[in-house]
Amino acid sequence: MPFSPELIIYGVIFIAVLALVEGVYLTIFGRSISLNSRVNRRLEMLEKGTKRAEVLDQLRKEMQQHGKVRSIPLYSMLASKAQKAAIAFTPKQLMLMMAGVTVFAFIGLTIGTNTGLVMNIIISLLMGVGGIYFWVSMKASKRLSMIEEQLPDAIELMVRSLRVGHPFSAAIQIVSREIEDPLATEFGVISDESAYGRDVGEALKDMAERLDMQDMRFLAVAVTIQQQSGGNLAEILAGLSKVIRARFRLFRRVKAITAEAKWSGKFLSGFPVAALIFINLSDPHYYDEVKTHALFIPACIAVGLFLAVNLFVMRILTDIKV
C-alpha cells in the first residue's frame, strides 16, 4: 500500500493556519499581548501616553466583548473560551479570520493535493473553523492556568501590603504593578474601576464569573464578607492563600493520576478515525467492495456512536472535582 504525501500536506497546512492566526494577532496587537511576554500590557499602554480611562475602556472591551454575542450560532461555541482568553480580536474579526484561514486552507489543498472539490471544501471548513477554535482554546487554557498559578502569590502580596498598613485598594494596585501578566492586567482593571467608584468586591466577583474560576470566587466572597461584617482581611486572605495552594496541589495530583485514563480514552476513540483516514488517503479504493452493502452506512453510524460514547464515559470517569 503506497504512502500518500497528502497526509503530510494536511498537517503542514493546519500548522500553517495556526501560525498565520498567531502571526496576524501579534502583528496587530503587539508582542506584549502574547502570554509568553513578561511585559505588563496595561502598564505598557500607560507608558505610551494613553490616558488611564482609555486604557481601562479598551481592556474592559476586550475582556467582555465575546460574552455579549453568544446568540450568534457559529460564534456561540467560541464565545466562552474567547472571553476567558481575553482575545483582543472582536467577534466580527474572529469570524473573518475563520473565513480567511478557510480560503487559505482551500488554496493550499487545491495546490498541494489531488482531492476532489467537495472534499477540499469540507476539509478547508474544518481547518478554518477547527483551527481558530483550537487556537482560542489553547489560549484560554494557557491563560487560565497561568492565572491559577499566579493567584496565591498575588494574594500573599496583598496580605503583606495590608499588614504594613495599605488599604485594600492600594494592595490591589501594588499587585497590578509587581506581578506579571495575565493576572497583573486583570487586577489593574479592578484597580482602575475602584478608582472610578466601582465596588472592589463586585469587580472581583465579575472577574471570577467571567473567568469561571472557583479560587477567584473564594477571593471575591472573602472580600465582600469582610466589607459587610468587618474583620482582619489580612488573616482571611492569608488563610485563603493556603487553601488555594493546597487545592492546587491536590488538583495537580488528581490530574496526574487520571492522565493515563484520559489519554487511553482519547487514543481508543481517535485511533479508528485516524486509521480510517490513513487507509482512505493511502488507498482510496480500499472500501469500494463494501460501500454498496446495505449495512455499510448503519455500521459506520454505530461505530461513530460507540466512539462518542467511549469519550463521554471516559470523561465522566476521570472528571474528579477538586
Side-chain angles (χ1 to χ4, degrees):
M1 187 175 356
F3 175 75
S4 174
E6 292 184 357
L7 287 172
I8 300 177
I9 294 174
Y10 288 145
V12 169
I13 291 175
F14 185 76
I15 294 172
V17 164
L18 297 179
L20 175 65
V21 175
E22 182 72 12
V24 171
Y25 191 62
L26 296 181
T27 301
I28 294 176
F29 298 104
R31 183 72 181 86
S32 64
I33 203 168
S34 172
L35 294 178
N36 296 321
S37 175
R38 292 181 176 272
V39 179
N40 185 323
R41 183 163 180 249
R42 171 177 165 272
L43 294 182
E44 184 188 57
M45 294 169 68
L46 291 172
E47 288 175 358
K48 289 180 178 179
T50 309
K51 295 181 180 179
R52 188 178 182 183
E54 294 176 357
V55 172
L56 175 61
D57 183 62
Q58 180 178 342
L59 293 176
R60 287 185 66 183
K61 180 182 178 181
E62 291 177 3
M63 293 174 179
Q64 299 174 0
Q65 62 185 343
H66 301 284
K68 299 177 181 179
V69 291
R70 296 187 180 183
S71 58
I72 301 177
L74 179 62
Y75 191 76
S76 59
M77 61 181 181
L78 269 179
S80 177
K81 290 186 179 295
Q83 181 172 297
K84 292 175 183 177
I87 298 296
F89 281 138
T90 64
K92 184 178 180 180
Q93 289 173 334
L94 212 51
M95 287 187 284
L96 287 175
M97 285 294 298
M98 285 185 187
V101 296
T102 299
V103 172
F104 174 81
F106 178 77
I107 294 173
L109 290 171
T110 303
I111 296 173
T113 67
N114 295 321
T115 313
L117 177 63
V118 176
M119 186 59 66
N120 278 347
I121 293 174
I122 294 174
I123 296 176
S124 298
L125 286 171
L126 291 176
M127 284 189 176
V129 178
I132 294 292
Y133 182 85
F134 179 79
W135 178 75
V136 172
S137 180
M138 182 176 61
K139 287 280 186 181
S141 299
K142 184 176 181 180
R143 188 170 186 269
L144 292 180
S145 177
M146 293 176 69
I147 290 176
E148 287 175 348
E149 291 188 16
Q150 289 179 307
L151 186 59
D153 294 332
I155 293 176
E156 289 180 357
L157 181 56
M158 285 190 284
V159 170
R160 291 194 293 270
S161 300
L162 291 171
R163 284 176 175 170
V164 299
H166 291 296
F168 185 63
S169 57
I172 290 180
Q173 189 174 8
I174 291 172
V175 170
S176 70
R177 291 198 310 264
E178 298 299 328
I179 64 173
E180 299 174 1
D181 270 348
L183 192 58
T185 296
E186 290 282 354
F187 272 92
V189 170
I190 293 176
S191 175
D192 291 342
E193 289 178 338
S194 174
Y196 286 107
R198 188 179 187 186
D199 180 70
V200 177
E202 181 184 341
L204 286 170
K205 182 180 178 181
D206 180 67
M207 180 173 68
E209 294 303 323
R210 175 166 44 80
L211 298 177
D212 192 22
M213 286 182 56
Q214 190 64 34
D215 292 337
M216 199 69 73
R217 292 191 182 98
F218 292 157
L219 175 61
V221 169
V223 172
T224 302
I225 292 176
Q226 192 277 336
Q227 288 177 333
Q228 295 175 354
S229 60
N232 190 333
L233 183 57
E235 294 299 324
I236 295 173
L237 294 183
L240 177 61
S241 176
K242 293 179 182 178
V243 171
I244 292 175
R245 288 190 184 279
R247 290 182 74 250
F248 193 73
R249 286 195 298 268
L250 181 59
F251 178 77
R252 284 291 181 87
R253 186 176 179 182
V254 169
K255 187 176 181 180
I257 293 173
T258 58
E260 182 181 356
K262 288 181 178 178
W263 280 104
S264 295
K266 292 177 181 178
F267 177 80
L268 292 174
S269 294
F271 180 77
V273 178
L276 177 64
I277 295 173
F278 178 80
I279 292 172
N280 274 281
L281 292 175
S282 301
D283 186 1
H285 304 290
Y286 187 82
Y287 291 103
D288 286 353
E289 295 182 4
V290 296
K291 281 182 179 179
T292 56
H293 197 281
L295 296 178
F296 181 75
I297 299 300
C300 291
I301 296 174
V303 170
L305 290 175
F306 278 121
L307 294 177
V309 169
N310 174 63
L311 275 178
F312 182 71
V313 171
M314 292 301 294
R315 184 178 180 85
I316 293 176
L317 292 176
T318 57
D319 187 19
I320 301 176
K321 300 297 183 182
V322 179

